[in-house]
Structures are given as C-alpha cells and as structure tokens.
C-alpha cells in the first residue's frame, strides 16, 4: 500500500525550496520526537542541494538534533571522494559541513579507490541492512527526497536502462545518459521502502515528466511514476513544473 500523491505548488523555485526546507526540518524534528532518530535520503542535483542549505540557519537549524540524524543518498556519481561533482560533496557544501552531524551517521557511497561501482553498491547495501529492522534490507527512511529529470529519471534510474530491473537495494549504473556515466543508485525496491517520498521539481523543462509520472506512465519510460511513499508522497513543484497538473 502506498500513499496517493499530494501536490505542493509554489509560485517560484525560491518559495518552493523554502517551503520544502521548512517541512523537512519539521519532519526530522517529528521523527526524532517519535523514534529518537531520523533517517533522511538526500538527492543529487540542484534541487537536492538547494533544499538543504536553509537547514543550516536558524530557525530551522534549531529544530534538528544533528547528533541523531542519519543521512543517506538515493544515488551517487561514482567519482573520487571529494570530487565536486559527487552528490555528497555538494551536500557537504550546502549543509553537512555547517552543522554538527555525527560523522558515523553520514553514510556515503564508496568511490573508485575502493574498487568497482559494483563493489561500492555491495558495500552501501551492507551498510543499509546494518541499520535496518530485522528482516528488512534498508531502514524505514523518514523522508526520501528525489529530484526528477526532464526524462522522468529519479536517482540514477533512467528510462529504458537495465538498472530499472535491478534486484536488491542498490545497483551499479553504467552508461548513464546524464553524466557522469558511472553511478550507484538505490533500486525501486529501496526507494519504495520510505515512509515519505518527496519529489523536488522546478522548471518548465520538467512539466512533461511531472505530468507523465502523475498520470502513471510506464516506469520504463518514466521511472518517477513507479515511486511512492508508504505513508506520504509529496510532489514539491514550482508553478512552471506544475503547468500541466494543477490549476
Ligand atoms: C543526480 C541526481 C539526479 C537529479 C535529477 C534532477 O545524481 O544527477 O540524483 O537524479 O536529482 O537529474 O536534477 P535537478 O534537480 O538539478 O534538475
């Protein structure tokens, strides 16, 4: 059972980012109040970093117990640690280097120094299962954020790509149509384990993908259509991205 999508539309990208950041801080605060900790999956791309930055500033900063926040990535570009194009490098600049997280709770994906993308996928899957409930392969992520490409990709799951059919929780991705070509991504199975899935989408170039996803298009041509949260699915959209789906 998954949650029907809810649209949160704001007039501009800036207003969208602010609203999503505020709700993210509130969601983390609530999860920590209920369970003592929170697990959040970050996304790469411009929206992924933009939503993180406001959390480093008060009042949002003060809502989060940074020592009890676990951060994961929905996908990672398979580049050397510290490479500016890695999602974790961009997240560190936006937020992680500005708040007192416990380094043990920042769960980055491996890099080429440790072997192949397949090795990194195996290692990330092992870390996920070590934080999961008995019988589960990934933690019950409190919020899993996803940017969406113009082609409807999410994480590093691209249309008509073999990775769409990957088993398990994490897969290596080769020949990505969006550079860099080699990546590591959560699979549909892992993405769908989240309590809340939030899509973060801005810009007119995404309007077709948003409409296709919400119309339930085939996952092979619109991977975003196949992802929903167990308890909540929110499409955070600016007016341009929502042009075909809301008044
Ligand atoms: C990546 C991202 C990717 C991204 C989308 C949207 O590693 O490239 O995870 O899935 O989220 O391409 O990116 P924008 O938000 O920058 O449009």
């Amino acid at each position: 059972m998954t949650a029907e999508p809810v649209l949160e539309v704001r007039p501009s990208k800036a207003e969208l980012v602010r609203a999503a950041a505020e709700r993210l801080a509130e969601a983390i605060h609530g999860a920590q109040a209920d369970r003592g900790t929170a697990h959040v999956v970050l996304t790469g791309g411009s929206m992924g970093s933009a939503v993180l930055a406001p959390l480093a500033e008060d009042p949002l900063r003060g809502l989060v117990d940074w020592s009890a926040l676990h951060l994961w990535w929905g996908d990672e570009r398979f580049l050397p640690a510290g490479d500016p194009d890695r999602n974790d490098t961009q997240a560190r600049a936006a937020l992680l280097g500005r708040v007192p997280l416990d380094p043990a709770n920042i769960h980055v994906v491996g890099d080429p120094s440790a072997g192949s993308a397949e090795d990194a996928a195996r290692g990330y899957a092992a870390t996920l299962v070590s934080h999961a409930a008995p019988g589960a392969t990934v933690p019950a992520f409190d919020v899993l954020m996803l940017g969406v490409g113009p082609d409807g990709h999410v994480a590093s799951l691209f249309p008509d790509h073999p990775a769409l059919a990957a088993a398990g929780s994490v897969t290596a991705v080769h020949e990505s149509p969006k550079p860099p070509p080699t990546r590591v991504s959560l699979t549909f199975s892992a993405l769908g384990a989240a309590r809340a899935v939030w899509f973060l989408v801005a810009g007119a170039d995404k309007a077709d993908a948003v409409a296709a996803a919400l119309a339930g298009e085939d996952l092979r041509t619109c991977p975003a259509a196949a992802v929903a949260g167990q308890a909540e699915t929110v499409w955070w959209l600016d007016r341009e991205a929502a042009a075909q789906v809301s008044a």
Side-chain angles (χ1 to χ4, degrees):
M1 181 69 186
T2 55
E4 284 299 305
V6 170
L7 274 55
E8 288 280 0
V9 182
R10 297 295 185 278
S12 68
K13 178 175 177 178
E15 290 165 287
L16 173 67
V17 163
R18 184 70 203 178
E22 289 173 356
R23 184 81 65 80
L24 178 59
E26 291 162 3
I28 294 169
H29 182 80
Q32 292 176 331
D34 293 348
R35 290 179 287 278
T37 188
H39 288 259
V40 172
V41 181
L42 308 182
T43 181
S46 57
M47 288 299 293
S49 297
V51 168
L52 294 181
L55 271 73
E57 309 290 343
D58 284 328
L60 301 187
R61 181 189 184 101
L63 288 176
V64 177
D65 175 354
W66 297 102
S67 68
L69 175 60
H70 289 260
L71 295 178
W72 306 87
W73 276 266
D75 71 331
E76 186 55 274
R77 291 92 177 270
F78 192 60
L79 298 166
D83 187 291
D85 284 340
R86 276 184 66 102
N87 291 333
D88 61 11
T89 304
Q90 295 174 12
R92 201 170 298 282
L95 176 65
L96 280 55
R98 304 166 61 199
V99 290
L101 288 155
D102 180 342
N105 295 343
I106 303 174
H107 307 291
V108 301
V109 177
D111 74 288
S113 67
S116 67
E118 284 75 11
D119 294 329
R122 277 188 290 272
Y124 195 47
T127 304
L128 285 159
V129 80
S130 73
H131 289 271
T137 58
V138 299
F141 304 123
D142 294 289
V143 179
L144 184 146
M145 295 184 284
L146 292 169
V148 179
D151 60 358
H153 78 258
V154 288
S156 289
L157 301 178
F158 294 92
D160 298 316
H161 193 284
L164 298 180
S169 60
V170 189
T171 184
V173 177
H174 298 284
E175 299 179 13
S176 162
K178 177 179 181 182
T182 307
R183 293 155 168 258
V184 175
S185 182
L186 294 185
T187 62
F188 281 124
S189 167
L191 297 177
R195 287 188 173 92
V197 168
W198 293 3
F199 297 95
L200 306 169
V201 197
D205 64 327
K206 307 294 181 71
D208 288 346
V210 170
L214 288 169
E217 189 169 297
D218 189 296
L219 67 83
R220 287 167 296 184
T221 53
C222 183
V227 185
Q230 293 294 312
E232 179 183 83
T233 307
V234 182
W235 283 82
W236 292 95
L237 306 170
D238 73 349
R239 187 170 290 145
E240 290 184 338
Q244 298 177 33
V245 293
S246 74

